[in-house]
Amino acid sequence: MTRDDPERIAAQPKLNQPDAAPPVVDRNAFDAALAEQVAREKEVTRHNDRVSAERRRLPMVEVENYTFEGPDGPVKLTDLFGERYLLLVQNVMFGPDWEQGCPSCTWAVDNLPANMGRITENGIAFALISQAPIEKLEAWREKNGWPHLWVSSHDTSYHYDWGWTRTTDQGEEWQLPGYSYYLLKDGVPYLTYMTTARGTEAILPTAHIMDRTVYGRQQDWEDSPEGWPQYPTYG
């Protein structure tokens, strides 16, 4: 398949280089514009530090020690900590009647560090939780080659209690993706922080890498110059 092959372009349109590009300037003009951008980004960094400081001052709430279903049988929430005292849970959208996991959540799992030991060596355990039955989760996990522990909340109220599954006025259920952060204190699990929607982007390195390229994420909600390529966000 060649670089300009129509089938290739149709399958992966972002690999097709756009005609639009930034204006060409001399080195001095580039350095000046970059310095202004770096100053803006430093302020974002400082603001993020202030927000993180407030996050560390949040209170915590006790969480029921739910009994999930794991690949080898029942697994309590406290079991997910293993030998650690901190736990990060990725709440993957996978409804009970779905045949496969959410594409966006799947992409997010693929963004996790290749070496998860960098997380566990800092006292942080990691696990996935979804509402689909464990058989579906295991099939999807194996298909994607993930090594992570994935448990099912199917027979618990976990997804409803914490808003990961919500119900419309018409009785239709819908799910949210996101992350839950827990602390195990004196054998009791506590929720210290949770985030969903675009709050999940903080641990998606691919998104941040794309942000810093000239064309950004190439998504239709971005404020980009005229002629910049843009595609449906979840298309």
Side-chain angles (χ1 to χ4, degrees):
M1 189 174 288
T2 65
R3 188 169 184 270
D4 298 324
D5 188 287
E7 292 184 7
R8 168 192 168 279
I9 294 173
Q12 296 179 291
K14 289 183 181 179
L15 298 184
N16 189 35
Q17 184 173 351
D19 292 329
V24 177
V25 297
D26 62 25
R27 177 63 183 273
N28 288 338
F30 175 79
D31 286 347
L34 180 60
E36 292 179 2
Q37 179 63 21
V38 169
R40 288 188 286 266
E41 292 180 355
K42 283 185 178 296
E43 181 50 40
V44 171
T45 299
R46 296 186 187 102
H47 179 69
N48 189 58
D49 288 342
R50 294 190 290 269
V51 171
S52 294
E54 293 303 318
R55 187 184 302 114
R56 291 191 292 273
R57 288 166 173 77
L58 287 174
M60 62 185 183
V61 60
E62 183 176 343
V63 178
E64 175 186 339
N65 194 14
Y66 297 94
T67 300
F68 303 111
E69 187 67 21
D72 299 318
V75 179
K76 288 188 173 295
L77 174 59
T78 49
D79 294 332
L80 299 180
F81 287 84
E83 299 178 354
R84 315 298 174 193
Y85 58 92
L86 298 170
L87 170 66
L88 167 59
V89 165
Q90 181 169 345
N91 297 283
V92 176
M93 293 171 58
F94 200 143
D97 58 343
W98 300 9
E99 295 306 317
Q100 59 184 21
C102 161
S104 179
C105 292
T106 297
W107 186 80
V109 177
D110 287 339
N111 266 256
L112 290 168
N115 182 0
M116 292 295 286
R118 298 299 185 183
I119 293 177
T120 57
E121 68 187 15
N122 282 285
I124 307 169
F126 177 76
L128 311 172
I129 298 180
S130 294
Q131 200 175 12
I134 189 62
E135 296 78 15
K136 290 186 177 182
L137 303 186
E138 278 297 285
W140 193 245
R141 185 183 67 81
E142 291 178 8
K143 180 180 185 299
N144 288 280
W146 297 335
H148 318 295
L149 174 60
W150 199 356
V151 298
S152 169
S153 69
H154 185 262
D155 294 324
T156 76
S157 58
Y158 169 83
H159 260 70
Y160 301 105
D161 292 345
W162 298 100
W164 299 113
T165 294
R166 303 187 180 187
T167 307
T168 67
D169 293 337
Q170 293 72 38
E172 298 176 346
E173 292 188 350
W174 56 286
Q175 298 200 353
L176 289 174
Y179 300 93
S180 304
Y181 293 76
Y182 296 96
L183 169 66
L184 187 64
K185 182 73 171 174
D186 299 323
V188 178
Y190 296 90
L191 181 69
T192 61
Y193 176 69
M194 61 189 296
T195 188
T196 185
R198 293 197 63 192
T200 64
E201 293 180 1
I203 57 175
L204 298 179
T206 300
H208 292 286
I209 291 171
M210 295 170 69
D211 281 341
R212 286 155 180 78
T213 67
V214 64
Y215 299 113
R217 302 185 196 182
Q218 302 184 34
Q219 295 179 351
D220 52 11
W221 58 267
E222 291 179 287
D223 180 1
S224 295
E226 185 70 27
W228 257 230
Q230 292 188 312
Y231 302 91
T233 300
Y234 298 111

